[in-house]
């Protein structure tokens, strides 16, 4: 009796080591971001104290990223993830160096534009994870990416609170150095995750039009709705990012060091949720339920932030914890749903479109938050953010998404451009 030959076992160690390296790369990149985020209002205050000036700094980066990210995503599908990561990290380093030496507000904006134009590192990292992870496990993998985000935002502000003692720009110089270290890791140690056979064979002029890339991507079933939900959550996050450091400065009268401590706590919550809770909860209840559980918590947290009384840590930290818990549950699960809707060979384009639509939310969010803060009231950017999280909840609630792979299925028909 003959026996059928058994297939040789697949050695998963190279993929695991590459995934661990991607985690490290994202962590170091976000560590640099975390170094300067708490200080934004204080850096801009040298030239202008208005909330709109701070919001415009956020918007300038996001507007440039919106233009560039779909192109970088398409390039990563054509030439591989590694070259795009290297280009992005060099751009980040250059942006930080210009930011550290800027002597006028327009130069601060120019520095962020430079960083935004080359800011495709996260979408390339997400696409690399999609290359090496089965569809049913991607929410967990993206949860680890989210944990790298959170860990960067824990240690970044914590280190910033120490470095700022040596000068307001000391954290910015450190961020530039981290980008160069990360570039070295990619150049010498990260293998290419996208095989030559799986790469796109050609590109066309439409790939260089961010709106064109988005419109083509939104023809894929279910992608339109999920991009709408991602836009809403990004808009809400942008309003928080544009307004929180200003609120801490104006209402709570926090110093740069105290503001860094607040952002450290936000990052700590993100690590606990996305690095631990999401990995355990998402496989059990599914991506859709994770989103529908997380978004109401985030809505409540956003609404409560501005009503916390000054002089007391408890209510503010409680509201931020609620917001971080909800957003941490929802965000990787939204990305997991979207990645399952992406056809094979187009993960980079879909993830690029995802980051691009998020960047569009990060453009319009600050545009709304700055005037709301300056002319309507300090609370309104946060209440607006809560309303946008409610909109994302409605979108996902009207869709049926399976617990595990196989792709989402609609309960309602969602036409392109309807969301």
């Amino acid at each position: 009796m003959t026996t059928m030959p058994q297939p040789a076992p697949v050695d998963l160690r190279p993929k695991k080591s590459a995934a661990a390296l991607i985690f490290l790369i994202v962590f170091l990149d976000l560590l640099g971001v975390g170094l300067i985020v708490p200080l934004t209002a204080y850096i801009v205050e040298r030239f202008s104290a208005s909330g709109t000036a701070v919001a415009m700094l956020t918007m300038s980066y996001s507007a440039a990223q919106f233009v560039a990210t779909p192109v970088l995503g398409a390039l990563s599908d054509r030439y591989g993830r590694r070259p795009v990561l290297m280009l992005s990290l060099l751009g980040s380093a250059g942006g930080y160096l210009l930011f550290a030496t800027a002597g006028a507000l327009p130069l601060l904006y120019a520095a962020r534009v430079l960083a935004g134009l080359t800011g495709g590192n996260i979408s390339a990292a997400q696409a690399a994870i999609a290359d090496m992870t089965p569809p049913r496990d991607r929410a967990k993998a993206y949860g680890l990416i989210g944990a790298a985000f959170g860990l960067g935002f824990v240690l970044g502000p914590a280190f910033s609170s120490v470095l700022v003692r040596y000068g307001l720009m000391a954290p910015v110089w450190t961020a530039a150095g981290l980008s160069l270290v990360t570039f070295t890791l990619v150049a010498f140690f990260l293998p290419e995750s996208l095989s030559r056979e799986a790469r796109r064979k050609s590109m066309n002029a439409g790939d260089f039009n961010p709106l064109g890339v988005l419109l083509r991507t939104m023809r894929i079933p279910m992608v339109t709705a999920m991009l709408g939900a991602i836009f809403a959550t990004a808009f809400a996050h942008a309003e928080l990012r544009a307004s929180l450091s200003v609120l801490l400065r104006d209402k709570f009268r926090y110093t740069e060091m105290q503001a860094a401590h607040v952002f450290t706590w936000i990052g700590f919550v993100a690590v606990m949720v996305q690095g631990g809770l999401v990995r355990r909860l998402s496989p059990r209840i599914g991506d859709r339920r994770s989103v529908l559980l997380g978004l109401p918590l985030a809505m409540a947290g956003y609404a409560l932030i501005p009503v916390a009384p000054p002089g007391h840590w408890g209510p503010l930290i409680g509201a931020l914890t609620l917001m971080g818990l909800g957003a941490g549950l929802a965000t990787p699960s939204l990305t997991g749903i979207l990645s399952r809707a992406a056809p094979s060979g187009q993960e980079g384009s879909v993830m690029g479109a995802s980051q691009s639509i998020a960047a569009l939310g990060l453009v319009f969010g600050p545009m709304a938050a700055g005037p709301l803060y300056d002319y309507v009231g300090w609370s309104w950017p946060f209440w607006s953010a809560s309303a946008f999280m409610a909109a994302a909840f409605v979108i996902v609630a009207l869709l049926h998404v399976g617990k595990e792979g196989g792709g989402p299925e609609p309960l309602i028909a969602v036409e392109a451009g309807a969301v």
Side-chain angles (χ1 to χ4, degrees), residues 103-186:
L105 191 58
L107 286 177
L108 288 179
Y109 295 148
R112 300 312 291 154
V113 168
L114 172 61
L117 287 174
T118 55
N121 43 349
I122 301 304
S123 64
Q126 288 176 331
I129 288 292
D131 294 337
M132 58 184 73
T133 307
R136 65 182 294 168
D137 294 330
R138 287 178 186 169
K140 292 189 291 184
Y142 290 132
L144 282 176
I145 293 293
F149 269 75
L151 194 58
F153 276 112
V154 169
L155 297 179
F159 291 156
S160 185
S161 68
V162 176
L163 291 169
V164 76
R165 300 173 184 175
Y166 302 97
L168 188 59
M169 287 300 176
V172 184
W173 287 106
T174 305
L178 286 173
S179 292
L180 293 175
V181 168
T182 310
F183 171 83
T184 303
L185 289 175
V186 174

Side-chain angles (χ1 to χ4, degrees), residues 4 26 33 45 51 75 92 153 165 187 211 231 242 259 264 280 318 373 376 392 409:
M4 295 294 292
V26 173
V33 175
E45 191 178 22
L75 286 171
S92 294
F153 276 112
R165 300 173 184 175
L211 291 176
F231 172 83
T264 300
R280 290 171 173 80
Y373 187 92
V376 182
E409 301 173 356

Side-chain angles (χ1 to χ4, degrees), residues 340-390:
R340 293 205 309 272
S344 177
Q346 295 186 42
E347 290 91 351
S349 294
V350 170
M351 289 304 158
S354 171
Q355 191 169 350
S356 183
I357 200 69
L360 197 59
L362 295 175
V363 170
F364 288 108
M367 289 177 66
L372 283 173
Y373 187 92
D374 286 336
Y375 303 113
V376 182
W378 291 347
S379 299
W380 282 94
F382 303 93
W383 292 342
S384 172
S386 181
F388 271 85
M389 296 300 274

Side-chain angles (χ1 to χ4, degrees), residues 20-75:
L21 186 55
I22 289 172
F23 176 91
L24 179 61
I25 289 165
V26 173
F27 163 68
L28 290 176
D29 189 45
L30 271 295
L31 181 64
V33 175
L35 285 168
I36 67 170
V37 164
L39 307 177
T40 303
Y42 304 92
I43 292 172
V44 174
E45 191 178 22
R46 297 180 302 158
F47 310 108
S48 173
S50 74
T52 301
V54 176
M56 288 292 291
L57 193 67
T58 300
M59 189 198 74
S60 60
Y61 175 87
S62 301
Q65 190 178 54
F66 169 72
V67 172
T69 297
V71 179
L72 294 172
L75 286 171

Side-chain angles (χ1 to χ4, degrees), residues 255-274:
T255 65
E256 295 93 329
M257 188 180 301
Q258 289 172 316
H261 291 158
V262 170
F263 280 89
T264 300
W265 177 254
I266 294 173
F268 174 77
V269 174
V271 168
M272 293 298 102
V273 174
Q274 297 194 26

Side-chain angles (χ1 to χ4, degrees), residues 83-362:
V84 171
L85 277 169
M86 293 170 65
L87 173 65
S88 298
L89 291 165
L90 280 181
S92 294
Y96 286 132
L97 291 173
L98 181 57
F99 196 83
T101 57
L105 191 58
L107 286 177
L108 288 179
Y109 295 148
R112 300 312 291 154
V113 168
L114 172 61
L117 287 174
T118 55
N121 43 349
I122 301 304
S123 64
Q126 288 176 331
I129 288 292
D131 294 337
M132 58 184 73
T133 307
R136 65 182 294 168
D137 294 330
R138 287 178 186 169
K140 292 189 291 184
Y142 290 132
L144 282 176
I145 293 293
F149 269 75
L151 194 58
F153 276 112
V154 169
L155 297 179
F159 291 156
S160 185
S161 68
V162 176
L163 291 169
V164 76
R165 300 173 184 175
Y166 302 97
L168 188 59
M169 287 300 176
V172 184
W173 287 106
T174 305
L178 286 173
S179 292
L180 293 175
V181 168
T182 310
F183 171 83
T184 303
L185 289 175
V186 174
F188 290 99
F189 300 106
L190 183 68
E192 177 56 58
S193 64
L194 186 65
S195 66
R196 292 189 178 277
E197 295 75 17
R199 296 180 191 179
R200 292 178 57 177
K201 304 308 178 186
S202 63
M203 298 180 65
N204 54 60
D207 293 319
F208 297 90
N209 177 358
L211 291 176
V213 172
L214 277 176
L215 290 174
R216 287 199 307 276
T217 303
M218 283 168 25
R219 294 173 188 158
I220 303 169
M222 296 299 298
V223 166
T224 299
M226 295 313 304
L227 289 180
I230 289 170
F231 172 83
T233 56
F235 189 103
H237 174 70
E239 291 190 291
L240 174 79
R241 195 167 74 175
S243 304
L244 182 57
S245 64
V246 192
L247 186 75
L248 295 176
R249 183 194 69 191
D250 294 343
K251 178 179 178 178
F252 294 92
R253 302 295 179 185
Y254 285 175
T255 65
E256 295 93 329
M257 188 180 301
Q258 289 172 316
H261 291 158
V262 170
F263 280 89
T264 300
W265 177 254
I266 294 173
F268 174 77
V269 174
V271 168
M272 293 298 102
V273 174
Q274 297 194 26
L277 184 59
V278 168
R279 297 183 67 198
R280 290 171 173 80
L281 192 63
S282 181
R284 295 182 181 179
I285 69 173
D287 290 338
R288 179 174 180 267
R289 290 191 181 94
S290 296
V291 172
L292 295 180
L293 174 62
L295 289 177
L297 296 176
M299 288 160 50
Y302 278 118
L304 291 173
I305 288 169
V307 300
H312 301 280
W313 280 82
L316 176 62
I317 293 300
L320 291 170
T321 301
L322 201 60
M323 179 275 297
L325 175 62
L329 280 173
T331 301
S333 296
L334 284 171
T335 307
I337 294 169
L338 182 65
S339 74
R340 293 205 309 272
S344 177
Q346 295 186 42
E347 290 91 351
S349 294
V350 170
M351 289 304 158
S354 171
Q355 191 169 350
S356 183
I357 200 69
L360 197 59
L362 295 175

